[in-house]
Amino acid sequence: MGAEIKNLKDLQNTEYSLRKLFDEAEDFLPLLGTDYVELYVGNAKQSAHFYKTAFGFQSEAYAGLETGVEDRVSYVLKQDKIRLVLTTPLEKDGVLNEHINEHGDAVKVVALWVEDATKAWEETTKRGAKSYMEPTVEEDDHGKVIRSGIHTYGETVHIFVERKEYNGVFLPGYQKWESHYNPAPVGLKFIDHMVGNVDWNEMNKWCEFYAKVMGFAQIISFDDKDISTDYTALMSKVMSNGNGRIKFPINEPAAGKKKSQIEEYIQFYNGAGVQHIAVATDDIVATVSAMRDRGVEFLYVPENYYDDLLKRVGEIDEDVEVLKQHGILIDRDDEGYLLQLFTKPVLDRPTMFFEIIQRKGAQSFGKGNFKALFEAIEREQENRGTL
Ligand code: FE2
């Protein structure tokens, strides 16, 4: 564990390279993919409308008073393989209200799809994870689901979902959400990675957690020399599970002349939490232009970013003028290139945002764009008076 790929050249693809990093027999926590991401929000009905309208998510399932749930309401939205759950409490006090009070609208659950939720809980708690939910069987007319859960950084949790004996719309207790308002999808396919921001000097602790407790390996690390501008810096390590389907970069602030974006996040979030959800598309130009038309705000990258672009990244399939028009960034590594763009925070607090990413071979995270991106974030911080 903790091995690092220094040179990707010899490795044909990530899956192969990751297999080399892991002793397969040691994969005690096989993960099939991300099952859902649940956010606790102040007004789930209105958030759902935003994610449908602006991000092209589709109405999928609902639970609330009408389905016999008394203390909360949850809307489930779907786009290709991505499932978002938006949950709001219906009563005063309680853990949901405390979470919203503390963190604002925020990701509470990063749920992982597994073959065996009981074994996932046993293997991780045995290795030191703090239990959030003991293996629990939930049933309805469509079959049964077993879920279990553990705590990770801050107040964020992982829930393991075993659904091989279930054919209902989402989970037992949910019903199909029929809506007459169905804006078209924008081409978001699956979650590429989800990033956690943790406090000063906590990055290694949480990377070790993913290595020891969940059997992940470190695939990349960036230090403050890679990720710093004139003012601020951060450090980052990327942890991946055995089949590469789950990647969790972990960021911590690093010392700079001014307050880093990670410190700003920690201040407004009141601790560690999910910073961004990176979603993959097959056609970033179409996706980003549809999202812009629907009101999504993206970080602004100065036009001079494109001046020596082809010199930096070499031949690309896309027309640079079109990329420039949409503010899309490009980076190349040994395996290919990637195109990416970050939204501004999608909440009132300057905390969570989305990344739109299209990979054309590259399996890295856009190191060559860090400087341009962080300068763009700093301009936003400047506007907020939090730099
Ligand atoms: Fe990212």
Side-chain angles (χ1 to χ4, degrees), residues 110-300:
V110 179
L112 303 167
W113 176 29
V114 296
E115 273 293 318
D116 186 337
T118 307
K119 183 167 179 286
W121 183 85
E122 285 168 356
E123 295 289 346
T124 50
T125 53
K126 184 169 87 186
R127 288 171 170 82
K130 189 175 148 208
S131 174
Y132 173 70
M133 178 200 262
E134 286 188 18
T136 306
V137 181
E138 296 156 299
E139 271 178 286
D140 68 9
D141 296 346
H142 302 283
K144 72 169 184 184
V145 170
I146 303 172
R147 291 193 299 159
S148 64
I150 59 170
H151 289 266
T152 177
Y153 49 78
E155 289 202 282
T156 318
V157 301
H158 290 306
I159 286 185
F160 303 115
V161 185
E162 173 186 334
R163 51 170 71 256
K164 56 181 181 278
E165 290 176 55
Y166 194 68
N167 62 14
V169 63
F170 175 52
L171 292 173
Y174 283 78
Q175 68 182 34
K176 178 95 192 106
W177 172 18
E178 304 282 2
S179 172
H180 73 274
Y181 178 63
N182 303 299
V186 299
L188 303 177
K189 298 278 180 196
F190 59 88
I191 294 179
D192 184 277
H193 59 277
M194 281 187 76
V195 180
N197 278 349
V198 300
D199 218 331
W200 289 91
N201 306 314
E202 297 254 287
M203 175 181 69
N204 285 334
K205 175 180 130 185
W206 287 107
C207 290
E208 245 165 62
F209 166 88
Y210 280 106
K212 251 203 249 150
V213 170
M214 296 183 66
F216 283 36
Q218 183 187 320
I219 53 170
I220 305 176
S221 89
F222 307 105
D223 61 21
D224 45 349
K225 281 176 242 30
D226 296 318
I227 317 180
S228 68
T229 64
D230 290 344
Y231 294 125
T232 71
L234 67 89
M235 296 201 279
S236 187
K237 285 183 178 173
V238 183
M239 304 301 292
S240 172
N241 82 318
N243 59 21
R245 289 183 200 172
I246 307 294
K247 291 188 218 70
F248 294 144
I250 307 285
N251 296 335
E252 74 173 27
K257 281 186 206 152
K258 293 195 176 183
K259 190 190 278 180
S260 90
Q261 49 167 305
I262 311 301
E263 280 176 278
E264 186 198 37
Y265 176 100
I266 301 280
Q267 181 195 331
F268 281 90
Y269 194 87
N270 284 311
V274 170
Q275 179 210 35
H276 73 264
I277 305 176
V279 286
T281 170
D282 289 340
D283 185 348
I284 196 165
V285 171
T287 296
V288 166
S289 69
M291 290 173 77
R292 274 193 201 283
D293 287 348
R294 294 161 178 227
V296 177
E297 297 176 312
F298 291 94
L299 284 182
Y300 170 73

Side-chain angles (χ1 to χ4, degrees), residues 34-93:
T34 309
D35 196 281
Y36 65 90
V37 176
E38 181 171 16
L39 292 94
Y40 287 172
V41 298
N43 188 332
K45 180 179 262 191
Q46 291 190 5
S47 290
H49 191 74
F50 169 78
Y51 284 109
K52 284 168 71 171
T53 304
F55 279 70
F57 279 91
Q58 308 295 301
S59 309
E60 182 78 0
Y62 170 83
L65 293 173
E66 298 81 350
T67 68
V69 179
E70 290 178 357
D71 67 336
R72 66 182 68 191
V73 52
S74 296
Y75 290 83
V76 184
L77 301 156
K78 203 165 180 219
Q79 188 162 183
D80 206 322
K81 292 193 171 63
I82 313 161
R83 246 193 231 120
L84 287 187
V85 182
L86 303 163
T87 296
T88 292
L90 292 174
E91 51 189 20
K92 69 183 180 79
D93 305 327

